[in-house]
Amino acid sequence: MGKKTKLMMLGPPGAGKGTQAQRLASRMGIPQISTGDMLRAAKKSGSEMGKKAAEYMDKGHLVPDQVVIGIVEESLKSPDVADGFILDGFPRTVEQAEALDSLGIKLDAVLNIQVDEDVLVKRLGGRRACLTCGATYHVEHNPSKEEDICDKCGSETIQRDDDKPEAIRTRMGAYRGKTAPLIEFYRERGRLYDFDGAQSPDEVTAAIMSVIEE
Ligand code: AMP
């Protein structure tokens, strides 16, 4: 089989999906389609859709399927995705996965990053994010060079509202109830690859690259 280029990241919040998707996108020269980043951009722009989405996001709830499916459908129409793409944070429900199927999109690989919940809670609580370029940091494990300033673009880094303790618990619940069933959904289709997300980011990237290039 040739190189896999239609990819999807799957895993609980804090597993490292965004970090890995960014790395794969730059190594492979294909776009990262992050619904979380797109929804945060909509929130920042103050659009009606952004305001509505923010009501769900800030509390840690999933944004309704129809909204998210609409956004992804638009992105997948772009000529940029002709050579492949990395879906990061979508699909997150069985309904969204079925919508992807009905768009005629057949994924080459679903990259499932697994990490224990207590590790995730620590990771998310210490996470800082740049809302301008999407880079993420961790106050202990991966701090920015200057406190609260993004290394990549110089903007301020913040703690996302949904990385606060109450919202983290809600997000974990949404993952267990709505997103985790996708593991079996894609395993049955024979396209699921598991990775141990407790490893270092470099180790996870190396393991993913060996699957993609096999
Ligand atoms: P993320 O950056 O992927 O953790 O996404 C942040 C938040 O955006 C999530 O907690 C949800 O509120 C919302 N979101 C992102 N992707 C989706 C999706 N596929 N379906 C529903 N909500 C989503």
Side-chain angles (χ1 to χ4, degrees), residues 17 34-37 39-40 56-57 60-63 68 88-92 96 127 160 162 171:
K17 299 188 296 295
S34 161
T35 43
D37 285 350
L39 291 166
R40 279 185 287 278
Y56 295 90
M57 294 166 73
H61 294 295
L62 292 182
V63 172
V68 183
D88 167 18
F90 180 94
R92 250 181 165 99
Q96 293 177 15
R127 181 154 80 171
R160 283 167 36 179
D162 60 347
R171 288 164 72 199

mmCIF file with all atom_site columns, all heavy atoms in Angstrom, residues 17 34-37 39-40 56-57 60-63 68 88-92 96 127 160 162 171, ligand 1:
data_model
loop_
_atom_site.group_PDB
_atom_site.id
_atom_site.type_symbol
_atom_site.label_atom_id
_atom_site.label_alt_id
_atom_site.label_comp_id
_atom_site.label_asym_id
_atom_site.label_entity_id
_atom_site.label_seq_id
_atom_site.pdbx_PDB_ins_code
_atom_site.Cartn_x
_atom_site.Cartn_y
_atom_site.Cartn_z
_atom_site.occupancy
_atom_site.B_iso_or_equiv
_atom_site.pdbx_formal_charge
_atom_site.auth_seq_id
_atom_site.auth_comp_id
_atom_site.auth_asym_id
_atom_site.auth_atom_id
_atom_site.pdbx_PDB_model_num
ATOM   1   N N   . LYS A 1 17  ? -3.323  15.033 20.268 1.00 0.00 ? 17  LYS A N   1
ATOM   2   C CA  . LYS A 1 17  ? -3.797  15.001 18.873 1.00 0.00 ? 17  LYS A CA  1
ATOM   3   C C   . LYS A 1 17  ? -3.321  16.232 18.101 1.00 0.00 ? 17  LYS A C   1
ATOM   4   O O   . LYS A 1 17  ? -2.831  16.109 16.985 1.00 0.00 ? 17  LYS A O   1
ATOM   5   C CB  . LYS A 1 17  ? -5.339  14.972 18.823 1.00 0.00 ? 17  LYS A CB  1
ATOM   6   C CG  . LYS A 1 17  ? -5.984  13.775 19.488 1.00 0.00 ? 17  LYS A CG  1
ATOM   7   C CD  . LYS A 1 17  ? -7.484  13.726 19.220 1.00 0.00 ? 17  LYS A CD  1
ATOM   8   C CE  . LYS A 1 17  ? -8.266  14.885 19.811 1.00 0.00 ? 17  LYS A CE  1
ATOM   9   N NZ  . LYS A 1 17  ? -8.260  14.938 21.298 1.00 0.00 ? 17  LYS A NZ  1
ATOM   10  N N   . SER A 1 34  ? -8.455  21.245 11.946 1.00 0.00 ? 34  SER A N   1
ATOM   11  C CA  . SER A 1 34  ? -8.781  21.160 13.371 1.00 0.00 ? 34  SER A CA  1
ATOM   12  C C   . SER A 1 34  ? -10.094 21.880 13.636 1.00 0.00 ? 34  SER A C   1
ATOM   13  O O   . SER A 1 34  ? -10.171 23.109 13.521 1.00 0.00 ? 34  SER A O   1
ATOM   14  C CB  . SER A 1 34  ? -7.662  21.808 14.197 1.00 0.00 ? 34  SER A CB  1
ATOM   15  O OG  . SER A 1 34  ? -8.149  22.127 15.490 1.00 0.00 ? 34  SER A OG  1
ATOM   16  N N   . THR A 1 35  ? -11.124 21.120 13.966 1.00 0.00 ? 35  THR A N   1
ATOM   17  C CA  . THR A 1 35  ? -12.422 21.758 14.231 1.00 0.00 ? 35  THR A CA  1
ATOM   18  C C   . THR A 1 35  ? -12.333 22.647 15.471 1.00 0.00 ? 35  THR A C   1
ATOM   19  O O   . THR A 1 35  ? -12.951 23.702 15.516 1.00 0.00 ? 35  THR A O   1
ATOM   20  C CB  . THR A 1 35  ? -13.543 20.713 14.392 1.00 0.00 ? 35  THR A CB  1
ATOM   21  O OG1 . THR A 1 35  ? -13.070 19.634 15.194 1.00 0.00 ? 35  THR A OG1 1
ATOM   22  C CG2 . THR A 1 35  ? -13.990 20.185 13.054 1.00 0.00 ? 35  THR A CG2 1
ATOM   23  N N   . GLY A 1 36  ? -11.535 22.230 16.472 1.00 0.00 ? 36  GLY A N   1
ATOM   24  C CA  . GLY A 1 36  ? -11.362 23.056 17.674 1.00 0.00 ? 36  GLY A CA  1
ATOM   25  C C   . GLY A 1 36  ? -10.779 24.423 17.301 1.00 0.00 ? 36  GLY A C   1
ATOM   26  O O   . GLY A 1 36  ? -11.288 25.456 17.734 1.00 0.00 ? 36  GLY A O   1
ATOM   27  N N   . ASP A 1 37  ? -9.703  24.432 16.477 1.00 0.00 ? 37  ASP A N   1
ATOM   28  C CA  . ASP A 1 37  ? -9.093  25.707 16.057 1.00 0.00 ? 37  ASP A CA  1
ATOM   29  C C   . ASP A 1 37  ? -10.096 26.538 15.258 1.00 0.00 ? 37  ASP A C   1
ATOM   30  O O   . ASP A 1 37  ? -10.185 27.749 15.435 1.00 0.00 ? 37  ASP A O   1
ATOM   31  C CB  . ASP A 1 37  ? -7.840  25.473 15.185 1.00 0.00 ? 37  ASP A CB  1
ATOM   32  C CG  . ASP A 1 37  ? -6.633  25.026 16.014 1.00 0.00 ? 37  ASP A CG  1
ATOM   33  O OD1 . ASP A 1 37  ? -6.708  25.073 17.261 1.00 0.00 ? 37  ASP A OD1 1
ATOM   34  O OD2 . ASP A 1 37  ? -5.615  24.630 15.399 1.00 0.00 ? 37  ASP A OD2 1
ATOM   35  N N   . LEU A 1 39  ? -13.372 26.463 15.409 1.00 0.00 ? 39  LEU A N   1
ATOM   36  C CA  . LEU A 1 39  ? -14.427 26.978 16.297 1.00 0.00 ? 39  LEU A CA  1
ATOM   37  C C   . LEU A 1 39  ? -13.894 28.113 17.173 1.00 0.00 ? 39  LEU A C   1
ATOM   38  O O   . LEU A 1 39  ? -14.591 29.101 17.403 1.00 0.00 ? 39  LEU A O   1
ATOM   39  C CB  . LEU A 1 39  ? -14.995 25.850 17.161 1.00 0.00 ? 39  LEU A CB  1
ATOM   40  C CG  . LEU A 1 39  ? -15.819 24.804 16.407 1.00 0.00 ? 39  LEU A CG  1
ATOM   41  C CD1 . LEU A 1 39  ? -16.044 23.567 17.268 1.00 0.00 ? 39  LEU A CD1 1
ATOM   42  C CD2 . LEU A 1 39  ? -17.172 25.388 15.977 1.00 0.00 ? 39  LEU A CD2 1
ATOM   43  N N   . ARG A 1 40  ? -12.636 27.984 17.638 1.00 0.00 ? 40  ARG A N   1
ATOM   44  C CA  . ARG A 1 40  ? -12.052 29.072 18.442 1.00 0.00 ? 40  ARG A CA  1
ATOM   45  C C   . ARG A 1 40  ? -11.879 30.329 17.592 1.00 0.00 ? 40  ARG A C   1
ATOM   46  O O   . ARG A 1 40  ? -12.113 31.439 18.075 1.00 0.00 ? 40  ARG A O   1
ATOM   47  C CB  . ARG A 1 40  ? -10.720 28.636 19.072 1.00 0.00 ? 40  ARG A CB  1
ATOM   48  C CG  . ARG A 1 40  ? -10.910 27.802 20.344 1.00 0.00 ? 40  ARG A CG  1
ATOM   49  C CD  . ARG A 1 40  ? -9.591  27.487 21.016 1.00 0.00 ? 40  ARG A CD  1
ATOM   50  N NE  . ARG A 1 40  ? -8.828  26.497 20.271 1.00 0.00 ? 40  ARG A NE  1
ATOM   51  C CZ  . ARG A 1 40  ? -9.022  25.180 20.342 1.00 0.00 ? 40  ARG A CZ  1
ATOM   52  N NH1 . ARG A 1 40  ? -9.928  24.687 21.145 1.00 0.00 ? 40  ARG A NH1 1
ATOM   53  N NH2 . ARG A 1 40  ? -8.288  24.356 19.613 1.00 0.00 ? 40  ARG A NH2 1
ATOM   54  N N   . TYR A 1 56  ? -21.181 26.283 24.150 1.00 0.00 ? 56  TYR A N   1
ATOM   55  C CA  . TYR A 1 56  ? -20.922 24.862 24.397 1.00 0.00 ? 56  TYR A CA  1
ATOM   56  C C   . TYR A 1 56  ? -19.459 24.645 24.791 1.00 0.00 ? 56  TYR A C   1
ATOM   57  O O   . TYR A 1 56  ? -19.156 23.984 25.772 1.00 0.00 ? 56  TYR A O   1
ATOM   58  C CB  . TYR A 1 56  ? -21.205 24.037 23.131 1.00 0.00 ? 56  TYR A CB  1
ATOM   59  C CG  . TYR A 1 56  ? -22.647 24.052 22.718 1.00 0.00 ? 56  TYR A CG  1
ATOM   60  C CD1 . TYR A 1 56  ? -23.141 25.016 21.853 1.00 0.00 ? 56  TYR A CD1 1
ATOM   61  C CD2 . TYR A 1 56  ? -23.530 23.090 23.200 1.00 0.00 ? 56  TYR A CD2 1
ATOM   62  C CE1 . TYR A 1 56  ? -24.476 25.033 21.467 1.00 0.00 ? 56  TYR A CE1 1
ATOM   63  C CE2 . TYR A 1 56  ? -24.867 23.087 22.823 1.00 0.00 ? 56  TYR A CE2 1
ATOM   64  C CZ  . TYR A 1 56  ? -25.325 24.072 21.950 1.00 0.00 ? 56  TYR A CZ  1
ATOM   65  O OH  . TYR A 1 56  ? -26.648 24.067 21.586 1.00 0.00 ? 56  TYR A OH  1
ATOM   66  N N   . MET A 1 57  ? -18.558 25.218 23.987 1.00 0.00 ? 57  MET A N   1
ATOM   67  C CA  . MET A 1 57  ? -17.125 24.960 24.167 1.00 0.00 ? 57  MET A CA  1
ATOM   68  C C   . MET A 1 57  ? -16.614 25.359 25.548 1.00 0.00 ? 57  MET A C   1
ATOM   69  O O   . MET A 1 57  ? -15.877 24.613 26.180 1.00 0.00 ? 57  MET A O   1
ATOM   70  C CB  . MET A 1 57  ? -16.316 25.752 23.138 1.00 0.00 ? 57  MET A CB  1
ATOM   71  C CG  . MET A 1 57  ? -16.552 25.311 21.738 1.00 0.00 ? 57  MET A CG  1
ATOM   72  S SD  . MET A 1 57  ? -15.898 26.532 20.607 1.00 0.00 ? 57  MET A SD  1
ATOM   73  C CE  . MET A 1 57  ? -14.151 26.241 20.790 1.00 0.00 ? 57  MET A CE  1
ATOM   74  N N   . GLY A 1 60  ? -17.193 22.903 28.056 1.00 0.00 ? 60  GLY A N   1
ATOM   75  C CA  . GLY A 1 60  ? -16.635 21.575 27.801 1.00 0.00 ? 60  GLY A CA  1
ATOM   76  C C   . GLY A 1 60  ? -17.595 20.626 27.102 1.00 0.00 ? 60  GLY A C   1
ATOM   77  O O   . GLY A 1 60  ? -17.313 19.448 26.963 1.00 0.00 ? 60  GLY A O   1
ATOM   78  N N   . HIS A 1 61  ? -18.749 21.163 26.640 1.00 0.00 ? 61  HIS A N   1
ATOM   79  C CA  . HIS A 1 61  ? -19.700 20.315 25.896 1.00 0.00 ? 61  HIS A CA  1
ATOM   80  C C   . HIS A 1 61  ? -19.317 20.264 24.429 1.00 0.00 ? 61  HIS A C   1
ATOM   81  O O   . HIS A 1 61  ? -18.670 21.180 23.923 1.00 0.00 ? 61  HIS A O   1
ATOM   82  C CB  . HIS A 1 61  ? -21.124 20.887 25.993 1.00 0.00 ? 61  HIS A CB  1
ATOM   83  C CG  . HIS A 1 61  ? -21.679 20.849 27.381 1.00 0.00 ? 61  HIS A CG  1
ATOM   84  N ND1 . HIS A 1 61  ? -21.928 19.669 28.043 1.00 0.00 ? 61  HIS A ND1 1
ATOM   85  C CD2 . HIS A 1 61  ? -22.016 21.848 28.229 1.00 0.00 ? 61  HIS A CD2 1
ATOM   86  C CE1 . HIS A 1 61  ? -22.405 19.949 29.248 1.00 0.00 ? 61  HIS A CE1 1
ATOM   87  N NE2 . HIS A 1 61  ? -22.460 21.254 29.392 1.00 0.00 ? 61  HIS A NE2 1
ATOM   88  N N   . LEU A 1 62  ? -19.777 19.241 23.738 1.00 0.00 ? 62  LEU A N   1
ATOM   89  C CA  . LEU A 1 62  ? -19.578 19.189 22.297 1.00 0.00 ? 62  LEU A CA  1
ATOM   90  C C   . LEU A 1 62  ? -20.520 20.186 21.621 1.00 0.00 ? 62  LEU A C   1
ATOM   91  O O   . LEU A 1 62  ? -21.659 20.364 22.051 1.00 0.00 ? 62  LEU A O   1
ATOM   92  C CB  . LEU A 1 62  ? -19.852 17.786 21.749 1.00 0.00 ? 62  LEU A CB  1
ATOM   93  C CG  . LEU A 1 62  ? -18.860 16.684 22.166 1.00 0.00 ? 62  LEU A CG  1
ATOM   94  C CD1 . LEU A 1 62  ? -19.244 15.368 21.491 1.00 0.00 ? 62  LEU A CD1 1
ATOM   95  C CD2 . LEU A 1 62  ? -17.435 17.059 21.821 1.00 0.00 ? 62  LEU A CD2 1
ATOM   96  N N   . VAL A 1 63  ? -20.034 20.804 20.563 1.00 0.00 ? 63  VAL A N   1
ATOM   97  C CA  . VAL A 1 63  ? -20.853 21.698 19.732 1.00 0.00 ? 63  VAL A CA  1
ATOM   98  C C   . VAL A 1 63  ? -21.783 20.790 18.912 1.00 0.00 ? 63  VAL A C   1
ATOM   99  O O   . VAL A 1 63  ? -21.386 19.677 18.537 1.00 0.00 ? 63  VAL A O   1
ATOM   100 C CB  . VAL A 1 63  ? -19.905 22.546 18.846 1.00 0.00 ? 63  VAL A CB  1
ATOM   101 C CG1 . VAL A 1 63  ? -20.661 23.352 17.818 1.00 0.00 ? 63  VAL A CG1 1
ATOM   102 C CG2 . VAL A 1 63  ? -19.034 23.443 19.724 1.00 0.00 ? 63  VAL A CG2 1
ATOM   103 N N   . VAL A 1 68  ? -20.753 21.524 13.302 1.00 0.00 ? 68  VAL A N   1
ATOM   104 C CA  . VAL A 1 68  ? -19.393 21.041 13.049 1.00 0.00 ? 68  VAL A CA  1
ATOM   105 C C   . VAL A 1 68  ? -19.309 20.361 11.682 1.00 0.00 ? 68  VAL A C   1
ATOM   106 O O   . VAL A 1 68  ? -18.352 20.564 10.927 1.00 0.00 ? 68  VAL A O   1
ATOM   107 C CB  . VAL A 1 68  ? -18.971 20.064 14.170 1.00 0.00 ? 68  VAL A CB  1
ATOM   108 C CG1 . VAL A 1 68  ? -17.551 19.616 13.969 1.00 0.00 ? 68  VAL A CG1 1
ATOM   109 C CG2 . VAL A 1 68  ? -19.125 20.712 15.518 1.00 0.00 ? 68  VAL A CG2 1
ATOM   110 N N   . ASP A 1 88  ? -8.317  16.660 12.764 1.00 0.00 ? 88  ASP A N   1
ATOM   111 C CA  . ASP A 1 88  ? -7.881  16.731 14.161 1.00 0.00 ? 88  ASP A CA  1
ATOM   112 C C   . ASP A 1 88  ? -9.075  17.205 14.994 1.00 0.00 ? 88  ASP A C   1
ATOM   113 O O   . ASP A 1 88  ? -9.448  18.364 14.950 1.00 0.00 ? 88  ASP A O   1
ATOM   114 C CB  . ASP A 1 88  ? -6.702  17.714 14.238 1.00 0.00 ? 88  ASP A CB  1
ATOM   115 C CG  . ASP A 1 88  ? -6.367  18.118 15.658 1.00 0.00 ? 88  ASP A CG  1
ATOM   116 O OD1 . ASP A 1 88  ? -6.791  17.422 16.600 1.00 0.00 ? 88  ASP A OD1 1
ATOM   117 O OD2 . ASP A 1 88  ? -5.682  19.144 15.821 1.00 0.00 ? 88  ASP A OD2 1
ATOM   118 N N   . GLY A 1 89  ? -9.692  16.264 15.713 1.00 0.00 ? 89  GLY A N   1
ATOM   119 C CA  . GLY A 1 89  ? -10.847 16.647 16.545 1.00 0.00 ? 89  GLY A CA  1
ATOM   120 C C   . GLY A 1 89  ? -12.181 16.428 15.845 1.00 0.00 ? 89  GLY A C   1
ATOM   121 O O   . GLY A 1 89  ? -13.221 16.836 16.342 1.00 0.00 ? 89  GLY A O   1
ATOM   122 N N   . PHE A 1 90  ? -12.161 15.788 14.709 1.00 0.00 ? 90  PHE A N   1
ATOM   123 C CA  . PHE A 1 90  ? -13.377 15.449 13.962 1.00 0.00 ? 90  PHE A CA  1
ATOM   124 C C   . PHE A 1 90  ? -13.118 14.138 13.240 1.00 0.00 ? 90  PHE A C   1
ATOM   125 O O   . PHE A 1 90  ? -12.046 13.969 12.680 1.00 0.00 ? 90  PHE A O   1
ATOM   126 C CB  . PHE A 1 90  ? -13.703 16.539 12.937 1.00 0.00 ? 90  PHE A CB  1
ATOM   127 C CG  . PHE A 1 90  ? -14.952 16.234 12.130 1.00 0.00 ? 90  PHE A CG  1
ATOM   128 C CD1 . PHE A 1 90  ? -16.181 16.718 12.526 1.00 0.00 ? 90  PHE A CD1 1
ATOM   129 C CD2 . PHE A 1 90  ? -14.877 15.437 10.987 1.00 0.00 ? 90  PHE A CD2 1
ATOM   130 C CE1 . PHE A 1 90  ? -17.334 16.429 11.793 1.00 0.00 ? 90  PHE A CE1 1
ATOM   131 C CE2 . PHE A 1 90  ? -16.028 15.137 10.265 1.00 0.00 ? 90  PHE A CE2 1
ATOM   132 C CZ  . PHE A 1 90  ? -17.245 15.634 10.667 1.00 0.00 ? 90  PHE A CZ  1
ATOM   133 N N   . PRO A 1 91  ? -14.078 13.216 13.166 1.00 0.00 ? 91  PRO A N   1
ATOM   134 C CA  . PRO A 1 91  ? -15.354 13.187 13.873 1.00 0.00 ? 91  PRO A CA  1
ATOM   135 C C   . PRO A 1 91  ? -15.194 12.907 15.367 1.00 0.00 ? 91  PRO A C   1
ATOM   136 O O   . PRO A 1 91  ? -14.235 12.271 15.789 1.00 0.00 ? 91  PRO A O   1
ATOM   137 C CB  . PRO A 1 91  ? -16.093 12.033 13.183 1.00 0.00 ? 91  PRO A CB  1
ATOM   138 C CG  . PRO A 1 91  ? -15.061 11.210 12.512 1.00 0.00 ? 91  PRO A CG  1
ATOM   139 C CD  . PRO A 1 91  ? -13.895 12.103 12.236 1.00 0.00 ? 91  PRO A CD  1
ATOM   140 N N   . ARG A 1 92  ? -16.160 13.396 16.126 1.00 0.00 ? 92  ARG A N   1
ATOM   141 C CA  . ARG A 1 92  ? -16.162 13.179 17.573 1.00 0.00 ? 92  ARG A CA  1
ATOM   142 C C   . ARG A 1 92  ? -17.422 12.458 18.029 1.00 0.00 ? 92  ARG A C   1
ATOM   143 O O   . ARG A 1 92  ? -17.586 12.216 19.219 1.00 0.00 ? 92  ARG A O   1
ATOM   144 C CB  . ARG A 1 92  ? -16.101 14.535 18.270 1.00 0.00 ? 92  ARG A CB  1
ATOM   145 C CG  . ARG A 1 92  ? -14.785 14.829 18.978 1.00 0.00 ? 92  ARG A CG  1
ATOM   146 C CD  . ARG A 1 92  ? -14.959 16.183 19.617 1.00 0.00 ? 92  ARG A CD  1
ATOM   147 N NE  . ARG A 1 92  ? -13.986 16.539 20.602 1.00 0.00 ? 92  ARG A NE  1
ATOM   148 C CZ  . ARG A 1 92  ? -12.922 17.320 20.380 1.00 0.00 ? 92  ARG A CZ  1
ATOM   149 N NH1 . ARG A 1 92  ? -12.643 17.744 19.180 1.00 0.00 ? 92  ARG A NH1 1
ATOM   150 N NH2 . ARG A 1 92  ? -12.149 17.672 21.379 1.00 0.00 ? 92  ARG A NH2 1
ATOM   151 N N   . GLN A 1 96  ? -21.195 12.170 13.309 1.00 0.00 ? 96  GLN A N   1
ATOM   152 C CA  . GLN A 1 96  ? -20.208 12.897 12.495 1.00 0.00 ? 96  GLN A CA  1
ATOM   153 C C   . GLN A 1 96  ? -19.435 11.931 11.596 1.00 0.00 ? 96  GLN A C   1
ATOM   154 O O   . GLN A 1 96  ? -19.132 12.246 10.443 1.00 0.00 ? 96  GLN A O   1
ATOM   155 C CB  . GLN A 1 96  ? -19.237 13.680 13.390 1.00 0.00 ? 96  GLN A CB  1
ATOM   156 C CG  . GLN A 1 96  ? -19.903 14.831 14.150 1.00 0.00 ? 96  GLN A CG  1
ATOM   157 C CD  . GLN A 1 96  ? -18.945 15.556 15.087 1.00 0.00 ? 96  GLN A CD  1
ATOM   158 O OE1 . GLN A 1 96  ? -17.729 15.415 15.006 1.00 0.00 ? 96  GLN A OE1 1
ATOM   159 N NE2 . GLN A 1 96  ? -19.502 16.348 15.995 1.00 0.00 ? 96  GLN A NE2 1
ATOM   160 N N   . ARG A 1 127 ? -1.960  23.197 30.655 1.00 0.00 ? 127 ARG A N   1
ATOM   161 C CA  . ARG A 1 127 ? -1.800  23.604 29.253 1.00 0.00 ? 127 ARG A CA  1
ATOM   162 C C   . ARG A 1 127 ? -2.012  25.107 29.078 1.00 0.00 ? 127 ARG A C   1
ATOM   163 O O   . ARG A 1 127 ? -2.869  25.697 29.707 1.00 0.00 ? 127 ARG A O   1
ATOM   164 C CB  . ARG A 1 127 ? -2.810  22.837 28.398 1.00 0.00 ? 127 ARG A CB  1
ATOM   165 C CG  . ARG A 1 127 ? -2.717  23.164 26.929 1.00 0.00 ? 127 ARG A CG  1
ATOM   166 C CD  . ARG A 1 127 ? -3.214  22.034 26.104 1.00 0.00 ? 127 ARG A CD  1
ATOM   167 N NE  . ARG A 1 127 ? -4.669  22.027 26.034 1.00 0.00 ? 127 ARG A NE  1
ATOM   168 C CZ  . ARG A 1 127 ? -5.338  21.210 25.218 1.00 0.00 ? 127 ARG A CZ  1
ATOM   169 N NH1 . ARG A 1 127 ? -4.701  20.338 24.460 1.00 0.00 ? 127 ARG A NH1 1
ATOM   170 N NH2 . ARG A 1 127 ? -6.649  21.243 25.199 1.00 0.00 ? 127 ARG A NH2 1
ATOM   171 N N   . ARG A 1 160 ? -7.073  28.057 28.180 1.00 0.00 ? 160 ARG A N   1
ATOM   172 C CA  . ARG A 1 160 ? -8.386  28.008 27.548 1.00 0.00 ? 160 ARG A CA  1
ATOM   173 C C   . ARG A 1 160 ? -9.462  27.835 28.618 1.00 0.00 ? 160 ARG A C   1
ATOM   174 O O   . ARG A 1 160 ? -9.249  27.124 29.593 1.00 0.00 ? 160 ARG A O   1
ATOM   175 C CB  . ARG A 1 160 ? -8.444  26.828 26.567 1.00 0.00 ? 160 ARG A CB  1
ATOM   176 C CG  . ARG A 1 160 ? -7.713  27.104 25.279 1.00 0.00 ? 160 ARG A CG  1
ATOM   177 C CD  . ARG A 1 160 ? -7.476  25.876 24.424 1.00 0.00 ? 160 ARG A CD  1
ATOM   178 N NE  . ARG A 1 160 ? -8.543  24.881 24.441 1.00 0.00 ? 160 ARG A NE  1
ATOM   179 C CZ  . ARG A 1 160 ? -8.506  23.752 23.726 1.00 0.00 ? 160 ARG A CZ  1
ATOM   180 N NH1 . ARG A 1 160 ? -7.468  23.501 22.933 1.00 0.00 ? 160 ARG A NH1 1
ATOM   181 N NH2 . ARG A 1 160 ? -9.484  22.890 23.788 1.00 0.00 ? 160 ARG A NH2 1
ATOM   182 N N   . ASP A 1 162 ? -11.912 26.045 28.496 1.00 0.00 ? 162 ASP A N   1
ATOM   183 C CA  . ASP A 1 162 ? -12.262 24.625 28.616 1.00 0.00 ? 162 ASP A CA  1
ATOM   184 C C   . ASP A 1 162 ? -11.121 23.776 29.185 1.00 0.00 ? 162 ASP A C   1
ATOM   185 O O   . ASP A 1 162 ? -11.241 22.572 29.282 1.00 0.00 ? 162 ASP A O   1
ATOM   186 C CB  . ASP A 1 162 ? -12.795 24.059 27.292 1.00 0.00 ? 162 ASP A CB  1
ATOM   187 C CG  . ASP A 1 162 ? -11.812 24.151 26.147 1.00 0.00 ? 162 ASP A CG  1
ATOM   188 O OD1 . ASP A 1 162 ? -10.804 24.864 26.273 1.00 0.00 ? 162 ASP A OD1 1
ATOM   189 O OD2 . ASP A 1 162 ? -12.049 23.485 25.127 1.00 0.00 ? 162 ASP A OD2 1
ATOM   190 N N   . ARG A 1 171 ? -15.557 17.512 29.569 1.00 0.00 ? 171 ARG A N   1
ATOM   191 C CA  . ARG A 1 171 ? -14.981 17.050 28.295 1.00 0.00 ? 171 ARG A CA  1
ATOM   192 C C   . ARG A 1 171 ? -14.652 15.564 28.347 1.00 0.00 ? 171 ARG A C   1
ATOM   193 O O   . ARG A 1 171 ? -14.833 14.841 27.369 1.00 0.00 ? 171 ARG A O   1
ATOM   194 C CB  . ARG A 1 171 ? -13.717 17.854 27.970 1.00 0.00 ? 171 ARG A CB  1
ATOM   195 C CG  . ARG A 1 171 ? -14.039 19.273 27.568 1.00 0.00 ? 171 ARG A CG  1
ATOM   196 C CD  . ARG A 1 171 ? -12.827 20.163 27.626 1.00 0.00 ? 171 ARG A CD  1
ATOM   197 N NE  . ARG A 1 171 ? -11.883 19.882 26.559 1.00 0.00 ? 171 ARG A NE  1
ATOM   198 C CZ  . ARG A 1 171 ? -10.613 20.241 26.575 1.00 0.00 ? 171 ARG A CZ  1
ATOM   199 N NH1 . ARG A 1 171 ? -10.103 20.856 27.624 1.00 0.00 ? 171 ARG A NH1 1
ATOM   200 N NH2 . ARG A 1 171 ? -9.839  19.969 25.556 1.00 0.00 ? 171 ARG A NH2 1
HETATM 201 P P1  . AMP B 2 .   ? -10.343 20.686 20.805 1.00 0.00 ? 1   AMP B P1  1
HETATM 202 O O1  . AMP B 2 .   ? -9.460  21.848 20.538 1.00 0.00 ? 1   AMP B O1  1
HETATM 203 O O2  . AMP B 2 .   ? -10.284 19.662 19.703 1.00 0.00 ? 1   AMP B O2  1
HETATM 204 O O3  . AMP B 2 .   ? -10.155 20.094 22.171 1.00 0.00 ? 1   AMP B O3  1
HETATM 205 O O4  . AMP B 2 .   ? -11.850 21.247 20.762 1.00 0.00 ? 1   AMP B O4  1
HETATM 206 C C1  . AMP B 2 .   ? -12.283 22.215 21.691 1.00 0.00 ? 1   AMP B C1  1
HETATM 207 C C2  . AMP B 2 .   ? -13.792 22.233 21.810 1.00 0.00 ? 1   AMP B C2  1
HETATM 208 O O5  . AMP B 2 .   ? -14.380 22.528 20.547 1.00 0.00 ? 1   AMP B O5  1
HETATM 209 C C3  . AMP B 2 .   ? -14.410 20.903 22.219 1.00 0.00 ? 1   AMP B C3  1
HETATM 210 O O6  . AMP B 2 .   ? -14.392 20.700 23.614 1.00 0.00 ? 1   AMP B O6  1
HETATM 211 C C4  . AMP B 2 .   ? -15.832 21.073 21.679 1.00 0.00 ? 1   AMP B C4  1
HETATM 212 O O7  . AMP B 2 .   ? -16.596 21.948 22.483 1.00 0.00 ? 1   AMP B O7  1
HETATM 213 C C5  . AMP B 2 .   ? -15.574 21.790 20.357 1.00 0.00 ? 1   AMP B C5  1
HETATM 214 N N1  . AMP B 2 .   ? -15.365 20.831 19.257 1.00 0.00 ? 1   AMP B N1  1
HETATM 215 C C6  . AMP B 2 .   ? -14.228 20.638 18.523 1.00 0.00 ? 1   AMP B C6  1
HETATM 216 N N2  . AMP B 2 .   ? -14.402 19.671 17.606 1.00 0.00 ? 1   AMP B N2  1
HETATM 217 C C7  . AMP B 2 .   ? -15.679 19.238 17.750 1.00 0.00 ? 1   AMP B C7  1
HETATM 218 C C8  . AMP B 2 .   ? -16.456 18.234 17.109 1.00 0.00 ? 1   AMP B C8  1
HETATM 219 N N3  . AMP B 2 .   ? -15.957 17.476 16.119 1.00 0.00 ? 1   AMP B N3  1
HETATM 220 N N4  . AMP B 2 .   ? -17.751 18.060 17.524 1.00 0.00 ? 1   AMP B N4  1
HETATM 221 C C9  . AMP B 2 .   ? -18.269 18.802 18.510 1.00 0.00 ? 1   AMP B C9  1
HETATM 222 N N5  . AMP B 2 .   ? -17.584 19.745 19.171 1.00 0.00 ? 1   AMP B N5  1
HETATM 223 C C10 . AMP B 2 .   ? -16.306 19.970 18.800 1.00 0.00 ? 1   AMP B C10 1
#
